[in-house]
């Protein structure tokens, strides 16, 4: 696995605020091939119960979900491929922003996923690194929320400050594994 400093550098290299959902030089066919290779590897290891989903208007290309009964470690597994940098991340539970998603993945599975990613031409990025605060140049949902609040206030509209899921700081996963 690449060093955490190298991975942080790569996250910054691919962060282009002019291209939020796909990079300027995206190769859609190559992305589909990489996702297919990841899916095939997961199905070979965990069986036919793996399910795939794809995203539109998102920086994430697709996800493969493995039910808890098939993983061998008692928790559901998901693996996502970003449209950027060929980044792949994985976690347990429902999604990367679910509580405990970054803590339930056995080290042996991480090592295996890193090797699978390398063979598919991808870069595995541990979820705990992607949960570090985002400090890149691209706008995030927090910027959009702030702009909306300013516009509502300027129009004299009441502003609901009770947004429960927006109390968190944007993280790198918001940039590379989220709707835009």
């Amino acid at each position: 696995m690449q060093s955490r400093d190298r991975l942080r550098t790569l996250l910054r290299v691919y962060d282009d605020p002019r291209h939020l959902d796909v990079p300027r030089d995206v190769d859609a066919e190559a992305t589909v091939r990489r996702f297919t290779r990841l899916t095939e590897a997961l199905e070979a290891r965990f069986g036919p119960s793996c399910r795939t989903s794809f995203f539109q208007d998102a920086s994430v290309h697709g996800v493969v979900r493995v039910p808890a009964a098939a993983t061998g470690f008692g928790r559901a597994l998901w693996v996502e491929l970003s449209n950027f940098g060929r980044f792949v991340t994985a976690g347990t539970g429902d999604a990367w922003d679910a509580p405990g998603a970054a803590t339930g993945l056995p080290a042996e599975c991480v090592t295996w996923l890193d090797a699978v990613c390398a063979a598919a031409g991808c870069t595995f990025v541990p979820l705990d690194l992607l949960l570090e605060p985002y400090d890149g140049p691209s706008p995030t949902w927090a910027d959009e929320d702030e702009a909306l609040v300013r516009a509502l206030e300027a129009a004299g509209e009441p502003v609901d400050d009770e947004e429960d899921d927006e109390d968190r700081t944007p993280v790198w996963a918001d940039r590379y594994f989220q709707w835009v």
Side-chain angles (χ1 to χ4, degrees):
M1 184 175 309
Q2 296 189 39
S3 76
R4 294 174 77 80
D5 287 338
R6 173 71 178 138
L7 292 171
R8 285 184 190 101
T9 298
L10 289 173
L11 291 173
R12 283 177 171 65
V13 165
Y14 288 98
D15 192 4
D16 180 353
R18 292 177 310 259
H19 299 93
L20 298 177
D21 56 345
V22 294
R24 175 184 51 80
D25 58 351
V26 67
D27 182 342
E29 290 177 10
T31 301
V32 169
R33 283 192 303 273
R34 285 190 290 275
F35 189 75
T36 299
R37 290 184 74 185
L38 289 171
T39 301
E40 289 170 348
L42 287 157
E43 288 175 341
R45 178 170 177 149
F46 298 112
S49 62
C50 296
R51 298 293 176 253
T52 59
S53 300
F54 299 94
F55 297 84
Q56 277 188 290
D57 302 322
S59 57
V60 59
H61 174 78
V63 62
V64 181
R65 298 185 184 286
V66 183
T71 64
F73 48 87
R75 296 192 68 189
L77 166 70
W78 52 264
V79 178
E80 291 185 356
L81 172 66
S82 175
N83 288 324
F84 288 85
R86 303 175 183 168
F87 299 136
V88 173
T89 196
T92 58
D94 294 329
W96 63 260
D97 56 353
T103 59
L105 203 54
E108 179 272 329
C109 189
V110 170
T111 301
W112 176 79
L113 279 169
D114 185 53
V116 166
C117 288
C122 301
T123 302
F124 183 77
V125 183
L127 182 58
D128 66 316
L129 191 145
L130 290 168
L131 294 177
E132 293 178 356
Y134 175 76
D135 60 357
S138 296
T140 67
W141 54 264
D143 300 312
E144 293 170 7
D145 287 353
E146 187 177 310
L148 176 60
V149 166
R150 284 193 310 269
L152 289 172
E153 288 173 342
E157 295 291 327
V159 177
D160 179 12
D161 291 337
E162 300 297 321
E163 295 291 328
D164 55 313
D165 65 342
E166 304 301 352
D167 288 340
R168 67 176 180 81
T169 301
V171 295
W172 281 94
D174 286 310
R175 174 63 184 98
Y176 290 116
F177 295 91
Q178 185 63 284
W179 281 276
V180 293

